[in-house]
Amino acid sequence: MLIIGCDYHPGVQQIAFMDTETGEFGERRLEHGDGEAEKFYRDLRQAGISVRVQKTDRHDAQLLLKLLLEDRFPRIWVASWENRDLRQLLWHRHRLVQMRTRIMNQLQAVALNEGVRRKKRLWGQAGRAQLESFVLAPWASRRRQELLELLDRLNPSIRELNAAVEQEAARRPEVQRLMTHPGVGSLTALAFVLIVGTPQRFACGKQIASYVGLVPTEESSGGRRRLGHISKQGNSLLRFLLVEAAQATVRSDPDWRRKFLHLAMRRERRIAKVAMARKLAVRLYWMWRKEWDYEQVKRFGSHAGQLGNPLGV
């Protein structure tokens, strides 16, 4: 059976078709004015009359066998049990850090209500003592006390999870290699390796950027191409870590900072942040696939166009 998908416009139509019996598929753009579309469908009608359409379990099994023998059957990568379990470590740490951040923000608000603005210094010994010294109303005092207790309970757990991440990163050479890139720590490198799985799954950097949801959505029709916001598909934790790591890279690498400021002036800062995160994802992908560290990237990356090496993107 031939299945056809058609995007119809007054002057043209774009079709995609697939033969379920042979597994073959294709695409065509048919113009209406020169009779190309009419001829295509007339020829298709004649072909449909001459061929008897059948769909049985036997034919389906034969088609599956044909696809397998010709190595055209789609493959799906499935993460191992160990991989999935380690992802739980990353997610658990991430959620606890989010909880701690919300608690710290509430305690900052308590201090601001008393006219004290110490920012990060509030979490030092002197800042903590000052926070506890405020004379508050009964319920406000209880709120402060319970928030501090929650904070004291979360900090040791997060430190323990951080140590587990460091330990896991230390035993993986590919993670250590990615950590040589400025701004990329053990958490980002380990998450990248666990979530991507293997670089051989992807043929190019564009695919890895699409996989993590850092490419713009596209709404194109009738010859007009429109790009929207990023798709945000894929793993949200990895996307968040890439954005954070890209900002750290911008702060530490002059070349990245120059590119970031150029993009920020042309567009805006949040778009520039996403663009640098996409650049970092592609860079890490090729470092992993080529088994290069950052020094090798600096040595060969600028000649990517001459050497056929896409690291220079």
Side-chain angles (χ1 to χ4, degrees):
M1 180 173 64
L2 190 64
I3 301 176
I4 300 177
C6 176
D7 184 19
Y8 186 88
H9 297 276
V12 68
Q13 58 181 282
Q14 181 73 32
I15 65 170
F17 52 89
M18 176 178 179
D19 191 331
T20 58
E21 294 186 3
T22 64
E24 297 179 356
F25 60 90
E27 296 180 356
R28 286 192 62 178
R29 183 180 178 88
L30 303 175
E31 300 288 343
H32 295 167
D34 58 5
E36 182 183 12
E38 181 180 358
K39 182 179 183 303
F40 174 80
Y41 288 111
R42 287 186 182 277
D43 294 343
L44 185 64
R45 183 170 180 270
Q46 293 297 324
I49 293 174
S50 61
V51 178
R52 183 163 57 99
V53 176
Q54 289 183 332
K55 187 181 185 305
T56 65
D57 292 341
R58 182 180 178 185
H59 283 91
D60 290 343
Q62 291 174 352
L63 172 59
L64 292 174
L65 176 61
K66 178 180 175 65
L67 293 175
L68 287 170
L69 292 175
E70 296 176 358
D71 197 24
R72 293 194 292 127
F73 196 84
R75 290 181 173 85
I76 299 175
W77 178 80
V78 179
S80 66
W81 178 89
E82 180 188 13
N83 184 303
R84 295 194 298 269
D85 189 52
L86 286 172
R87 292 187 192 188
Q88 293 302 310
L89 163 64
L90 301 182
W91 271 113
H92 185 46
R93 179 202 172 276
H94 182 63
R95 295 306 185 194
L96 290 186
V97 170
Q98 286 182 322
M99 292 169 59
R100 182 177 66 177
T101 301
R102 288 194 290 267
I103 290 171
M104 294 171 71
N105 288 340
Q106 292 183 64
L107 289 170
Q108 287 281 7
V110 171
L112 287 172
N113 287 338
E114 298 301 313
V116 175
R117 187 170 183 266
R118 298 180 67 102
K119 296 185 177 180
K120 292 182 178 181
R121 293 179 299 162
L122 186 64
W123 314 120
Q125 186 175 359
R128 173 72 177 255
Q130 185 177 18
L131 181 61
E132 293 178 337
S133 68
F134 296 145
V135 179
L136 304 176
W139 283 110
S141 178
R142 177 173 174 175
R143 179 192 180 203
R144 175 188 58 187
Q145 183 61 32
E146 293 186 352
L147 287 174
L148 287 172
E149 290 175 357
L150 288 172
L151 184 62
D152 291 339
R153 290 170 57 187
L154 285 174
N155 281 329
S157 297
I158 293 174
R159 285 195 294 268
E160 182 180 351
L161 296 175
N162 287 340
V165 170
E166 295 288 344
Q167 182 179 0
E168 187 62 33
R171 74 179 190 89
R172 294 173 177 262
E174 64 273 26
V175 175
Q176 293 294 312
R177 193 177 299 115
L178 297 185
M179 288 172 60
T180 62
H181 194 287
V184 177
S186 57
L187 180 63
T188 303
L190 181 60
F192 191 86
V193 168
L194 291 176
I195 293 168
V196 173
T198 170
Q200 282 69 34
R201 295 174 58 199
F202 306 94
C204 61
K206 290 182 179 179
Q207 292 183 1
I208 198 72
S210 177
Y211 181 73
V212 297
L214 289 172
V215 296
T217 57
E218 183 175 350
E219 297 180 1
S220 301
S221 178
R224 300 179 63 184
R225 186 167 183 258
R226 297 179 180 177
L227 300 179
H229 299 292
I230 60 172
S231 65
K232 293 187 178 180
Q233 295 179 346
N235 191 284
S236 60
L237 174 59
L238 179 56
R239 188 165 53 252
F240 170 81
L241 293 175
L242 286 170
V243 173
E244 294 291 312
Q247 294 181 68
T249 306
V250 166
R251 290 192 294 268
S252 60
D253 189 298
D255 184 53
W256 279 62
R257 180 168 181 79
R258 183 169 58 253
K259 292 178 180 178
F260 170 78
L261 293 176
H262 177 70
L263 285 171
M265 287 188 293
R266 286 182 54 236
R267 305 296 296 275
E268 56 179 289
R269 292 185 68 88
R270 62 175 184 173
I271 294 178
K273 288 179 181 180
V274 172
M276 300 310 291
R278 181 168 59 248
K279 177 182 175 67
L280 180 61
V282 175
R283 171 72 63 82
L284 294 180
Y285 162 73
W286 283 112
M287 286 177 62
W288 186 8
R289 182 160 180 170
K290 294 286 185 180
E291 298 184 354
W292 283 3
D293 58 22
Y294 183 65
E295 290 301 321
Q296 290 171 301
V297 170
K298 291 196 299 182
R299 190 181 312 149
F300 303 120
S302 61
H303 304 288
Q306 300 174 16
L307 299 177
N309 180 357
L311 271 171
V313 297

